[in-house]
Amino acid sequence: MAIIELKQVDYQIDDKKILDSIDLAVEPNDYLTITGPSGSGKSTVLLLMAQMATATAGNLYYNQTDIAELNPVEYRREVSYCVQRPALFGETVADNLKFPAEVRGVEFDQTRAVDLLTKVQLPASMMDEKIIDISGGERQRIGLLRHLMYVPKVLLLDEITTGLDAENKAIVWNLIQAVHNEDQVTIISVTHDQQEIDSAKKMIQIIEGSIGK
Amino acid sequence: MNLVVSNLSLTLVTGLVLVALFISYREKLGLNKDIVIGVIRTVIQLTVVGYVLKYVFKINNWALTVLMILIIIVNAADNARKRGPGIDNVFLISFIAILTSTVVVVGTLIATGSLKMIPAQIIPFSGMVASNTMVAIGLCYRSLNTSFRDQRQQIIEKLALGAEIKLASKSILGESVRAGMSPTIDSAKTVGLVSLPGMMSGLIIAGVDPVKAIKYQIMVMFMLLATTAIGSVIACYLAYRKFYNTQMQLK
């Protein structure tokens, strides 16, 4: 039974068709890699799955329920969308890691934050760092950790290793693998990274707005 | 009354308009037409308002006074609307913000005995409140439009982390309310040092003792602080929702 399913999904801006009749079913605990040429519409598929945009035709289902019928806020807490080059907010790294707790109106779990930082080889003292002082690799890791303070059911990743050096890339992917294997999080990852494409278990290609044969 | 402007004096002062026209002509600013239209509108609008106010003050009818205030508020809301392109229902939002700040502030002035319930006092103060709210909420709209455009990525990420739209917009709301209030706060700090405000100058020119005139000016400054705060908060909190659709997505 699919956790996320797209049926005959179109997405259009003005007269320009970005996605055309996309049919896709993602099973729980799948690790789906989406690839394809730049501008083919693969990031738009993630935007629709993240409920950041609405399909102009067709339906998206989350656990067999049309996502149009779900509360967008609740849905986004379960299906978490992480972008390429995240914009950190507030002043410090802690402001970013505290945000998911603020969103839920609960106490910030400092132990969890430190544990996650350790997993991506960052010291606990990183919490007090000003966001303007941290490197691109650290920024990407912090951006990702925000989505893992509360383990989502599905993690949508939009080219999150683009622009990272080999070392940072390995750190990020180790964490994603751990989240997938240990926490049974379904991963849907848009990527251009050859290494990731080569090791993909399930993969689709999106070409000119359609799923490639 | 110390100051009386005779028709002859006023006609001679028209020469100052010629100075502006001359500069526009010499510097090829292309403003001649606008200057002429501005001058004609000033004369016609103020003449009409002068006679209307004279009539309204004379008959002292509450319904007519309320109507005058509503006309001022509608005009102010229409002007503020132009500062918020792309924001749905911006006229209605502006109207609610200006109406509320006018009712609260002028109502407080009446309740505290600072103003008398007569058209000659209520109408000019309502005009001051409405025009200052109009300027403040215009600045709020500009800030909202700019911030929602510049911080789009950040908002999307906050939504993606499961934030309600109010929390996702919190920093923008703060910035925008500040943008609306800042000019009034700045002018409260420099009032009397940089400029003598219009109300106080008017009273002094009309022969009122400056020490008495400052009492009015202090009242006006307090009034404007409340005015811009109320107007900015209402306008921002009503307008930010218009940047999202019903699915809580950024438009």
Side-chain angles (χ1 to χ4, degrees):
Chain A
M1 202 109 73
I3 186 163
I4 287 194
E5 193 169 10
L6 279 69
K7 283 186 179 167
Q8 291 291 299
V9 165
D10 288 358
Y11 187 70
Q12 197 164 330
I13 296 175
D14 299 325
D15 287 339
K16 195 175 176 223
K17 204 156 204 176
I18 316 281
L19 295 176
D20 188 14
S21 303
I22 298 282
D23 282 309
L24 176 65
V26 183
E27 304 296 323
N29 204 26
D30 262 359
Y31 192 130
L32 176 70
T33 305
I34 304 178
T35 179
S38 293
S40 59
K42 51 191 190 307
S43 290
T44 307
V45 172
L46 280 199
L47 275 177
L48 296 180
M49 287 178 177
Q51 220 274 12
M52 290 295 158
T54 303
T56 39
N59 298 84
L60 281 89
Y61 299 91
Y62 175 60
N63 288 328
Q64 277 72 57
T65 307
D66 194 322
I67 67 166
E69 293 164 19
L70 298 171
N71 176 325
V73 169
E74 298 297 329
Y75 173 77
R76 289 168 189 156
R77 289 177 192 173
E78 293 193 8
V79 180
S80 204
Y81 167 59
C82 183
V83 300
Q84 180 185 357
R85 295 195 187 90
L88 300 187
F89 24 82
E91 284 184 14
T92 63
V93 167
D95 291 339
N96 285 271
L97 297 180
K98 284 177 181 172
F99 191 75
E102 191 184 350
V103 156
R104 290 163 176 80
V106 296
E107 193 84 11
F108 171 57
D109 186 348
Q110 174 108 5
T111 316
R112 169 81 181 156
V114 172
D115 183 41
L116 284 173
L117 284 169
T118 312
K119 281 185 178 166
V120 292
Q121 299 179 19
L122 292 173
S125 60
M126 176 61 77
M127 297 267 271
D128 300 322
E129 290 281 332
K130 294 240 185 307
I131 57 168
I132 48 167
D133 294 334
I134 65 175
S135 71
E138 290 166 340
R139 174 175 295 263
Q140 187 68 54
R141 281 180 265 170
I142 303 296
L144 177 61
L145 294 191
R146 291 188 303 208
H147 295 271
L148 300 175
M149 284 298 294
Y150 298 89
V151 179
K153 298 272 192 290
V154 181
L155 192 55
L156 307 170
L157 306 173
D158 193 359
E159 303 194 39
I160 61 160
T161 55
T162 302
L164 295 185
D165 58 27
E167 190 192 345
N168 273 304
K169 214 180 265 185
I171 294 169
V172 167
W173 281 117
N174 284 340
L175 178 64
I176 300 294
Q177 293 298 335
V179 165
H180 175 61
N181 294 324
E182 293 161 22
D183 299 320
Q184 276 78 52
V185 175
T186 305
I187 309 279
I188 304 174
S189 169
V190 163
T191 188
H192 278 127
D193 185 77
Q194 199 52 48
Q195 208 179 343
E196 198 192 342
I197 293 169
D198 291 344
S199 60
K201 285 187 272 181
K202 283 190 179 180
M203 188 168 71
I204 58 161
Q205 255 200 318
I206 296 196
I207 301 166
E208 292 178 359
S210 300
I211 294 183
K213 301 291 174 223
Chain B
M1 176 85 71
N2 288 346
L3 189 75
V4 177
V5 183
S6 71
N7 287 339
L8 177 64
S9 314
L10 200 54
T11 311
L12 291 174
V13 170
T14 310
L16 292 174
V17 175
L18 296 178
V19 173
L21 282 171
F22 177 71
I23 291 171
S24 168
Y25 172 74
R26 270 297 293 268
E27 298 294 320
K28 298 187 174 58
L29 301 179
L31 291 173
N32 288 9
K33 194 178 158 194
D34 285 330
I35 292 173
V36 171
I37 291 173
V39 167
I40 293 170
R41 283 191 63 163
T42 299
V43 173
I44 294 175
Q45 285 167 202
L46 288 183
T47 306
V48 170
V49 167
Y51 280 101
V52 168
L53 286 180
K54 191 174 178 180
Y55 174 74
V56 173
F57 292 172
K58 196 172 137 198
I59 69 164
N60 193 5
N61 174 289
W62 70 267
L64 204 55
T65 304
V66 169
L67 181 68
M68 272 299 289
I69 294 169
L70 277 177
I71 290 171
I72 289 170
I73 294 172
V74 167
N75 276 319
D78 188 51
N79 217 302
R81 174 184 63 83
K82 295 172 192 159
R83 310 268 171 232
I87 302 173
D88 289 345
N89 298 327
V90 66
F91 172 80
L92 185 63
I93 292 169
S94 308
F95 181 79
I96 293 169
I98 298 171
L99 179 70
T100 310
S101 72
T102 308
V103 169
V104 171
V105 172
V106 176
T108 306
L109 294 180
I110 293 169
T112 55
S114 307
L115 282 189
K116 287 183 189 151
M117 274 283 274
I118 55 170
Q121 293 197 6
I122 294 173
I123 293 173
F125 271 86
S126 298
M128 263 192 269
V129 172
S131 75
N132 277 281
T133 314
M134 172 187 85
V135 173
I137 64 178
L139 293 170
C140 292
Y141 294 150
R142 193 165 69 182
S143 172
L144 285 171
N145 267 327
T146 310
S147 302
F148 270 103
R149 190 185 58 229
D150 294 349
Q151 296 175 36
R152 187 175 177 83
Q153 162 95 357
Q154 202 178 98
I155 303 280
I156 287 177
E157 286 175 46
K158 287 181 176 174
L159 294 174
L161 288 165
E164 301 273 356
I165 59 169
K166 189 174 171 189
L167 181 58
S169 317
K170 194 172 151 191
S171 58
I172 291 182
L173 276 168
E175 282 167 33
S176 302
V177 172
R178 253 196 307 279
M181 291 182 65
S182 292
T184 309
I185 296 170
D186 288 344
S187 87
K189 287 182 198 158
T190 58
V191 68
L193 299 176
V194 178
S195 69
L196 290 183
M199 169 110 192
M200 187 173 153
S201 305
L203 288 173
I204 293 170
I205 290 166
V208 173
D209 176 355
V211 177
K212 285 185 181 158
I214 60 158
K215 277 192 194 168
Y216 263 94
Q217 194 55 50
I218 290 170
M219 182 175 89
V220 168
M221 289 314 297
F222 290 173
M223 171 185 102
L224 295 185
L225 281 171
T227 294
T228 49
I230 295 168
S232 300
V233 163
I234 293 175
C236 286
Y237 276 79
L238 291 178
Y240 86 92
R241 294 171 178 278
K242 308 295 176 186
F243 289 84
Y244 298 89
N245 63 20
T246 52
Q247 286 293 299
M248 301 184 198
Q249 297 162 348
L250 265 184
K251 285 182 184 169

